[in-house]
Amino acid sequence: MDLTLKVWRQAGANDKGALVEYKVTEISDHMSFLEMMDTLNEQLIEQGEEPVAFDHDCREGICGMCSLHINGEPHGPDAGTTTCQLHMRKFKDGDTIYIEPFRARAFPVIKDLVVDRSAFDRIQHAGGYISVNTSGNTQDANAIPVPKVDADKAFDAATCIGCGACVAACKNASAMLFVSAKISQFALLPQGKVEAAERAQNMVSQMDKEGFGNCTNTGACEAECPKGISLENIARMNREYLSASLGSE
Amino acid sequence: MKFDAKTPEGPIASKWTSYKDHINLVNPANKRLIDVIVVGTGLAGGSASATLAELGYNVKAFCYQDSPRRAHSIAAQGGINAAKNYQGDGDSTYRLFYDTVKGGDYRSREANVYRLAEVSANIIDQCVAQGVPFARDYGGLLDNRSFGGVLVSRTFYAKGQTGQQLLLGAYSAMNRQIARGKIAMYNRHEMLDLVVVDGKARGIIARNLVTGEIERHSAHAVVIASGGYGNVYFLSTNAMGSNVTAAWKIHKKGAYFANPCFTQIHPTCIPRSGEYQSKLTLMSESLRNDGRIWVPKNMEDVHAIREGRKKPTDLSEEERDYYLERRYPAFGNLVPRDVASRAAKERCDAGYGVNKTGEAVYLDFKSAIERYGKEQARIHNIENPSHEKIVALGEEVVRAKYGNLFQMYEKIVDEDPYKTPMMIYPATHYTMGGIWVDYDLMTTIPGCYAIGEANFSDHGANRLGASALMQGLADGYFVLPYTIGNYLADDIRTGRISTDLPEFEEAEKQVREKLEFFVNNTGSHSVDHYHKQLGKVMWDKVGMSRNEKGLQEAIDEIKAIREDFWKNVKVPGNMSEMNPELEKAMRVADFLELGELFARDALHRNESCGGHFREEYQTEDGEALRDDKNFAYVAAWEYQGEPSKAVLHKEQLEFKDIELKTRSYK
């Protein structure tokens, strides 16, 4: 199929960006969206132009590196799918596709479609861990039984890939879904309960410092999350945060 | 140069304990005076960074991704082995050790593998304490499954995303240390050279991939945890950015490169669909627990399927050739990866491939779905369930076990694997070869260590399933933190190392010149153009099966591609900005050298063994023919200016605790 692409080009963080139009031809149904982008880039290099910078790595939908706002949606039109796993069969011959970076104040553009998501790392530094040392002298793993239901819920929260689609989808650029997923994972497990209150306070406070907006329960984050992270996590985070605030001295 | 494995004396079961009892320790106050650089933040690098920081060293960690959480370990699906014997099925440290040495076709070092098996149980304890959500049974205890090449259930897992959960565990341990200021994290940085001062590794030259700035970083020791080099094939299951650069740079500075030709071809990947394809996607090997592999028995059915006149589900049991069950009755669909891969290639080469390219076999879940469905019906007291009911119940069980894999397959291939068998074909996956290290995990450069997939020591010629995650974490959490102390104990009075030394200046100059060359070269072809050419030569002539003639040709062809690359490559943009094409050019330059050494290693090894299959060396029924008399050694290559001049050193392997015998899965 032949497509018209409107791609956000921006030389650097402090440069002005703009949408630039490109044509690509002979795109196969089986190609992934990023393979289509590779095709565009090969074409640009041939023509002596700079290829479009975009983030990607595993191309298996698990590393969370790929991003892209495609026709106004993070990771494009296919529900529950990262950009790297989105296939061109979801588009039609002659389509015009708008490709932009994730937009949020806390995710500044580095170049073209690449944004800086290090705010997510800093939130994790603030409490995204259990304070256990790595000596290998911990108790036997089966000494801490975990009800299967809790283990499964913790796992579901833990599958967040940290791509930032929740932020990009949110009209307030809130990071609540991301933060709540980690808080939930640990709050649900006996190992993580010990410092759950402190964790919730520290992570929420860092999230605010980074300039993410507030949650107004619109649910766009859940709808656009490629891993189906549930809004229940936000409810759980709010409970954890509230009880931590009430309980603190 | 000294070439000594430094394996401790004594019985195998007490080597590690006795080693730990006798090494030098660094007192906590002195650890604060010592800096360690860790390159790579996957399972090995991440766990090493966290543990070294916790011990008190100042750690500088580097990764090319925007966050350590994106390291390619995250994509490992199936699970991690540990000799816990929770299932009471006879597992033990010795058995894990035995399976790993045998599975590796007797080309790994016994002492290292025993230590790996020994610490494996600690890994699970450690990860659970960190909040890694492993699968559990209804009693709240940990669940296990079995994997290819073994007869016990020793694999711990978190659905099909075990690598993700383990990596996030290591990442969380890092986060704790970053918060404490003990790890300085350099995201979006790439190591481009090693700095050696007075014969010791003392730092690196790195490029900030956002600003393009070239930086000097000093340390008392440098740890390479940069993963494998499977992307030399262009198409592989590795992440797009996975590269050989860090490992290759230390090789050029004096670290021996061991067994580069031992590359694992994984049997269960999604087949290639066209020339534009950028990478391959793996389906976890755990699928072989429940899936049966087959191709049609009759050539007419193969043609009918390829032409769309028949569907695989139209073929009766009798019309299918379950070739693994036929050839290997004892292990059936659970034979090791190299055996399963070669068997698939054999059937496809014989013309029985089931997709348009002729490069696919079926992985069928129909009988598992029916088996589970009947079991569920009994459990739920459903009398005389209909076939539909059985299938629905069975699909639920399969969904719970492998749901995300099935979903991924459906997205890529656009077919529902619950209703029609998956198509799979082998692809390059994991590299068992890598930087040569001794028992301390130190390379032939003093103070330079290599851990995880970047080193060579534990997997031999073939890697069993669920053992890569185990090695990465064992090296990082539990082995390196001890062994590195033994070396650093001599460095407590060294003090901060200046980056103004001439060695830093020289290394930086060389890196700068190379970068300048690429952005100034007026060529006509993209970097990928060359990478794809290299990949094609590697797959065709240095791939799943190799022969002398092909390898000779490959060596010449790779040289020619390399020459053309240095003349005609085109890299747009400049070096003082984010420039992904420039990053690729630097990496492909290294692959173009490694590829040649890889082929030379395959050419000199006149035997078949694990992931290395030489057509000249096979039994009458097509099985790999090992030559223990002449090749039971590690091939460690020393760089001498260019790959064709590399000098071969041999570390003779001794098998004192496991008898060397023919590997049979029949």
Side-chain angles (χ1 to χ4, degrees), chain A residues 35 42 45 55 57-60 80-81 89 111 121 125 132-134 136 140-142 146 160 185 191, chain B residues 54 64 67 69 84 86 125-126 128 131 140 142 171 176 188 240-241 278-279 411-412 526 570 578:
Chain A
E35 282 163 353
E42 280 297 297
I45 296 169
D55 264 334
D57 203 14
C58 80
R59 297 204 178 185
E60 290 184 29
T81 306
R89 63 179 78 95
K111 183 176 183 176
D121 281 322
H125 301 163
V132 58
N133 69 27
T134 48
D140 183 85
N142 264 350
V146 182
C160 166
Q185 178 198 338
Q191 308 90 300
Chain B
E54 177 166 308
Y64 72 78
S67 164
R69 67 173 294 142
K84 279 282 200 185
Y86 281 162
D125 300 341
Q126 181 66 51
V128 166
L142 292 155
Y171 166 69
R176 178 163 165 257
R188 292 195 195 264
M240 298 292 285
S278 60
K279 73 160 300 222
K411 276 200 180 121
I412 294 173
S526 69
K570 172 151 93 181
M578 175 175 266

Side-chain angles (χ1 to χ4, degrees), chain B residues 369 376 390-401 418:
Chain B
I369 288 172
Q376 287 297 309
I390 288 173
V391 169
L393 289 167
E395 282 185 6
E396 267 318 300
V397 176
V398 169
R399 184 167 289 118
K401 287 177 99 165
Y418 292 99

Side-chain angles (χ1 to χ4, degrees), chain B residues 223-290:
Chain B
V223 181
I224 303 298
S226 56
Y229 49 87
N231 271 345
V232 67
Y233 286 94
F234 186 73
L235 284 184
S236 84
T237 63
N238 287 6
M240 298 292 285
S242 294
N243 63 79
V244 77
T245 291
W248 195 251
K249 290 293 154 51
I250 67 167
H251 173 54
K252 289 174 94 163
K253 283 273 163 99
Y256 293 178
F257 207 105
N259 301 335
C261 80
F262 289 165
T263 300
Q264 182 162 74
I265 311 289
H266 197 289
T268 52
C269 294
I270 299 178
R272 201 166 67 95
S273 63
E275 286 301 320
Y276 49 78
Q277 193 135 344
S278 60
K279 73 160 300 222
L280 295 167
T281 301
L282 182 97
M283 293 274 103
S284 166
E285 186 181 33
S286 61
L287 293 175
R288 287 202 279 145
N289 275 319
D290 284 317

Side-chain angles (χ1 to χ4, degrees), chain A residues 5-210:
Chain A
L5 307 177
K6 304 253 191 188
V7 184
W8 185 262
R9 300 302 307 258
Q10 184 172 344
N14 301 318
D15 297 282
K16 221 177 139 193
L19 285 169
V20 178
E21 187 175 302
Y22 301 104
K23 302 266 186 207
V24 284
T25 56
E26 290 175 44
I27 297 299
S28 149
D29 279 11
H30 287 285
M31 273 187 193
S32 71
F33 196 85
L34 296 183
E35 282 163 353
M36 184 279 291
M37 295 293 289
D38 293 340
T39 309
L40 166 69
N41 276 348
E42 280 297 297
Q43 191 178 308
L44 290 175
I45 296 169
E46 291 279 311
Q47 292 161 2
E49 289 177 53
E50 260 204 69
V52 180
F54 60 92
D55 264 334
H56 65 102
D57 203 14
C58 80
R59 297 204 178 185
E60 290 184 29
I62 191 76
C63 78
M65 187 94 170
C66 62
S67 52
L68 304 191
H69 225 66
I70 301 164
N71 287 340
E73 280 185 90
H75 297 296
D78 202 3
T81 306
T82 55
T83 298
C84 65
Q85 296 290 81
L86 171 67
H87 280 73
M88 296 311 291
R89 63 179 78 95
K90 303 288 171 188
F91 298 89
K92 292 191 306 289
D93 186 38
D95 273 359
T96 297
I97 308 176
Y98 285 82
I99 308 169
E100 297 165 87
F102 280 1
R103 303 232 184 247
R105 187 169 51 159
F107 288 170
V109 172
I110 296 176
K111 183 176 183 176
D112 296 338
L113 303 169
V114 178
V115 299
D116 178 357
R117 285 170 285 186
S118 55
F120 271 15
D121 281 322
R122 290 188 292 273
I123 295 171
Q124 299 283 333
H125 301 163
Y129 51 82
I130 288 173
S131 298
V132 58
N133 69 27
T134 48
S135 63
N137 295 320
T138 46
Q139 63 187 324
D140 183 85
N142 264 350
I144 321 169
V146 182
K148 184 165 165 41
V149 181
D150 293 351
D152 287 350
K153 274 191 194 164
F155 172 82
D156 288 343
T159 54
C160 166
I161 56 172
C163 64
C166 48
V167 173
C170 177
K171 61 183 193 285
N172 305 325
S174 166
M176 295 274 267
L177 194 65
F178 168 78
V179 179
S180 70
K182 191 49 78 180
I183 286 178
S184 289
Q185 178 198 338
F186 290 145
L188 284 160
L189 296 171
Q191 308 90 300
K193 277 218 166 70
V194 184
E195 47 189 344
E198 201 184 346
R199 177 180 307 113
Q201 285 183 319
N202 291 347
M203 290 183 80
V204 168
S205 145
Q206 187 64 33
M207 173 179 83
D208 291 342
K209 257 190 236 164
E210 295 289 347

